Amino acid sequence: MNKASSSDANGQENERESRFSSMQQPELEALAVSAILEHRRLIAADEAVYEEWTRASGDPSVSGAVLKSLQDEYVARQNKSEAQQEVLSEIIDALGYIPEVAPDGEE
């Protein structure tokens, strides 16, 4: 492992931690709940695009350009979800626990 890369990564991690660690617990918990709900929405949207892409892949009447577009959309969504999941993880690390969040559609 490159020592400079390691210290750069630790510096970035400490920067992120300090951003969230300065927040009060109720505010941090509300942020975590919001991030969890956003994560659920992103996953649902990703699944819809993936299902459309796989359905279109089996349809010989769908052009290669459309398939490429669906694939690109899916990959872009996966990248966005990954970035959001990293932020969610940092928030939960700062909070110290995973707050309870009702399943979608329930109060």
Side-chain angles (χ1 to χ4, degrees):
M1 175 183 255
N2 183 336
K3 195 170 192 169
S5 296
S6 178
S7 67
D8 289 346
N10 288 338
Q12 289 173 349
E13 183 177 327
N14 290 339
E15 188 176 301
R16 288 183 196 129
E17 285 180 22
S18 65
R19 174 177 52 166
F20 296 117
S21 64
S22 65
M23 297 174 74
Q24 297 295 318
Q25 185 174 357
E27 184 181 28
L28 197 53
E29 185 171 326
L31 185 61
V33 168
S34 176
I36 289 167
L37 293 172
E38 175 65 13
H39 185 68
R40 290 177 182 175
R41 285 189 290 274
L42 287 173
I43 288 173
D46 292 352
E47 287 176 358
V49 170
Y50 180 77
E51 288 172 9
E52 180 64 19
W53 175 33
T54 56
R55 186 196 58 74
S57 295
D59 186 344
S61 68
V62 176
S63 72
V66 170
L67 288 175
K68 176 76 170 119
S69 175
L70 288 168
Q71 179 182 15
D72 291 347
E73 175 69 16
Y74 179 70
V75 170
R77 287 178 170 278
Q78 287 293 291
N79 290 335
K80 182 177 179 180
S81 290
E82 181 180 343
Q84 193 274 338
Q85 186 172 3
E86 288 177 15
V87 171
L88 173 58
S89 178
E90 293 166 16
I91 294 167
I92 289 172
D93 285 347
L95 183 59
Y97 63 94
I98 300 171
E100 287 190 37
V101 181
D104 293 343
E106 293 183 18
E107 292 290 325

